[in-house]
Amino acid sequence: MYMKMSRTFLLLLCVAIVLTLCACKHNDDTSQRNTLNVALGSEPNTLDPALSLTIDTRSYLAHIFEGLTNFSKDGTVVPGVAVSWTVNDDNTEYTFQIRDDAVWSDGSKVLAEDFIYGWLRVLNPETASGWASYLYYIKGAEAYNTGLGKADEVGLQVEDGNLIVELENPCPFFVEMTAMQPYYPVKHTSVETYGDAWASNADTMVFNGPYVVSEWLHDEQIKLTKNGSYWN
């Protein structure tokens, strides 16, 4: 079931990217050559990775956040915030090494703890995230999300700055899963400072993807600009 859902998500994401590229218009004005104007439909209610469900919103999120891994142009998985990873002999425990040069747009370092915070937030029953089941591969994740377990029983820990993930069972596509939206990191200070509104304005968010939301004029436009802090 989860694998089918994951493939569906990847298909929808590819469609969104294609629509984005198709929206590009040629402009001979040199000052506009580095600008891409895209019509993505209605304004998103939020850019919260845990709560955003529409295809349009996923297009924004794929540019302003980055997971442990990413996808190359040919669709293969490549390192993202994780510079490398290893798996144990029975394929139930992954260790992701967080790259030293991965930073948030406010200049602070992206930590393994940011991933744990983001993932547990998706799983928290109070969040009521539609993405929670995508993390059920992780040990204790479903139990926590359904009220049968606790957050500290989920198979996530930090060791020497690395993120260690313990799975319920072997999952041959788990590395690919870590490139997806519900696996994005979230900086806890933004959520704790601004609450539910943290992902509804440009000046209340921090980003770790190649772009940042530099301007959000509600009911008019969302402007993304290059993230000067992005590692790649």
Side-chain angles (χ1 to χ4, degrees):
M1 173 182 175
Y2 307 140
M3 185 173 183
K4 181 178 180 181
M5 293 172 65
S6 303
R7 289 175 174 172
T8 300
F9 172 78
L10 289 174
L11 176 61
L12 291 174
L13 180 59
C14 289
V15 170
I17 293 173
V18 170
L19 290 175
T20 299
L21 294 176
C22 290
C24 181
K25 296 182 178 179
H26 177 73
N27 193 320
D28 291 328
D29 185 349
T30 302
S31 66
Q32 298 297 319
R33 288 181 181 174
N34 293 325
T35 300
L36 177 66
N37 296 312
V38 183
L40 286 177
S42 61
E43 178 180 82
N45 293 326
T46 179
L47 290 178
D48 186 338
L51 300 177
S52 301
L53 296 173
T54 67
I55 296 177
D56 293 348
T57 305
R58 292 174 210 167
S59 230
Y60 291 113
L61 294 175
H63 289 83
I64 61 178
F65 288 101
E66 182 175 57
L68 294 168
T69 60
N70 212 327
F71 291 108
S72 66
K73 293 180 180 179
D74 62 6
T76 57
V77 68
V78 294
V81 176
V83 67
S84 63
W85 53 86
T86 58
V87 61
N88 65 355
D89 291 338
D90 62 2
N91 296 306
T92 59
E93 184 176 284
Y94 287 79
T95 299
F96 295 91
Q97 180 182 354
I98 306 300
R99 61 174 68 251
D100 291 332
D101 54 352
V103 297
W104 292 100
S105 55
D106 65 358
S108 60
K109 192 178 185 305
V110 179
L111 304 173
E113 287 87 349
D114 296 326
F115 285 92
I116 292 179
Y117 178 81
W119 298 6
L120 290 179
R121 186 168 172 272
V122 172
L123 291 170
N124 189 332
E126 294 183 2
T127 304
S129 173
W131 293 107
S133 63
Y134 279 72
L135 283 84
Y136 282 5
Y137 305 101
I138 302 171
K139 184 176 181 179
E142 183 174 8
Y144 173 48
N145 180 243
T146 56
L148 300 178
K150 300 178 181 179
D152 59 9
E153 296 173 340
V154 178
L156 301 171
Q157 60 179 309
V158 177
E159 185 175 301
D160 296 328
N162 300 322
L163 176 63
I164 300 177
V165 184
E166 186 177 0
L167 305 184
E168 289 281 6
N169 299 290
C171 176
F173 51 88
F174 182 72
V175 171
E176 285 81 358
M177 293 293 293
T178 63
M180 295 183 174
Q181 174 183 328
Y183 286 86
Y184 289 159
V186 171
K187 190 164 184 183
H188 69 94
T189 52
S190 292
V191 180
E192 293 171 357
T193 301
Y194 300 104
D196 293 340
W198 79 275
S200 300
N201 293 283
D203 58 357
T204 58
M205 299 183 69
V206 289
F207 316 92
N208 77 311
Y211 292 87
V212 302
V213 177
S214 57
E215 184 179 57
W216 189 340
L217 301 178
H218 291 284
D219 298 319
E220 185 176 339
Q221 70 174 10
I222 296 177
K223 183 179 181 181
L224 305 186
T225 55
K226 184 178 180 180
N227 182 1
S229 300
Y230 182 59
W231 67 270
N232 191 6

